[in-house]
Amino acid sequence: MKIEQAYEGSIERKIYSSDQIAATIDRLAARIAADFTGQPLLLLGVLKGALFVVADLSRAVGRVSGGPSEITVDFLCVSSYGNATRSSGEVRVLKDTGEMVTGRNVVVVEDIIDNGLTLDYLRGLLEERKPAVLRTCVLFDKPYHRQADVRLDYVGLQCPDEFVVGYGLDYQELFRNLPYLAQLKPWVFSS
Ligand code: PRP
């Protein structure tokens, strides 16, 4: 049995298909490309969740004519959820950026924003390093439990107030490789 088929027994419903996600990435890429025409751009993904967004977004920006003069991709790795389904509120940097941020045009790329504490923390951390421009891009916006008022520059899709997995998002480190966004069946949490 394929892993995707094995996952299907745990899926309550699909929320966004891979086609819907791809179209959204293209829309975000067009806006980012237009905003950084002729300028170098650093896309800074927040691992682990943003791995697919960055992979797809960086290539989508590259397909837009008249976009940035060059694109650099880097990652930092933070964790605030551990294995829980709600953020602990404590953000831990597990791996910092390799690229210098000072004086660069930086777009921080997230898979999802929920209470906003992760992005709020990262914005503070990165602003101290004096980038030329610092913007935020989130694929899925879950606005129901916000605890920090973070400015979002590029927003993809509204996420329902459910625990969601797929396209980089996990439950206990599983389901990240699902190509679509899905809601899990309740028994998955209680087992
Ligand atoms: C998730 C997600 C964001 C953060 C958003 O990461 O990727 O970074 O939570 O939540 P918040 O807005 O409530 O702070 P997580 O800590 O689960 O780590 P992961 O990306 O490695 O799965």
Side-chain angles (χ1 to χ4, degrees), residues 104-140:
R104 310 276 293 271
N105 298 320
V106 181
V107 176
V108 179
V109 180
E110 269 283 27
D111 52 339
I112 191 166
I113 181 169
D114 185 2
N115 62 34
L117 294 174
T118 304
L119 213 41
D120 189 48
Y121 175 84
L122 288 177
R123 182 172 264 284
L125 181 83
L126 294 168
E127 264 170 0
E128 282 177 14
R129 301 176 188 180
K130 308 282 182 229
V133 174
L134 182 62
R135 299 224 170 123
T136 54
C137 174
V138 301
L139 180 58
F140 301 115

Side-chain angles (χ1 to χ4, degrees), residues 79-157:
S79 184
S80 62
Y81 277 44
N83 278 336
T85 55
R86 273 248 93 80
S87 172
S88 63
E90 179 193 325
V91 181
R92 286 185 301 146
V93 177
L94 305 179
K95 177 210 166 289
D96 205 337
T97 59
E99 290 289 319
M100 290 288 289
V101 165
T102 309
R104 310 276 293 271
N105 298 320
V106 181
V107 176
V108 179
V109 180
E110 269 283 27
D111 52 339
I112 191 166
I113 181 169
D114 185 2
N115 62 34
L117 294 174
T118 304
L119 213 41
D120 189 48
Y121 175 84
L122 288 177
R123 182 172 264 284
L125 181 83
L126 294 168
E127 264 170 0
E128 282 177 14
R129 301 176 188 180
K130 308 282 182 229
V133 174
L134 182 62
R135 299 224 170 123
T136 54
C137 174
V138 301
L139 180 58
F140 301 115
D141 181 14
K142 202 174 182 184
Y144 319 97
H145 307 279
R146 208 69 111 233
Q147 293 177 38
D149 185 23
V150 193
R151 197 189 81 223
L152 302 176
D153 299 296
Y154 310 102
V155 182
L157 296 160

Side-chain angles (χ1 to χ4, degrees), residues 56-76:
D56 289 342
L57 185 67
S58 59
R59 291 177 293 182
V61 173
R63 285 194 295 269
V64 180
S65 60
S69 56
E70 58 183 46
I71 298 171
T72 309
V73 172
D74 195 14
F75 295 94
L76 42 70

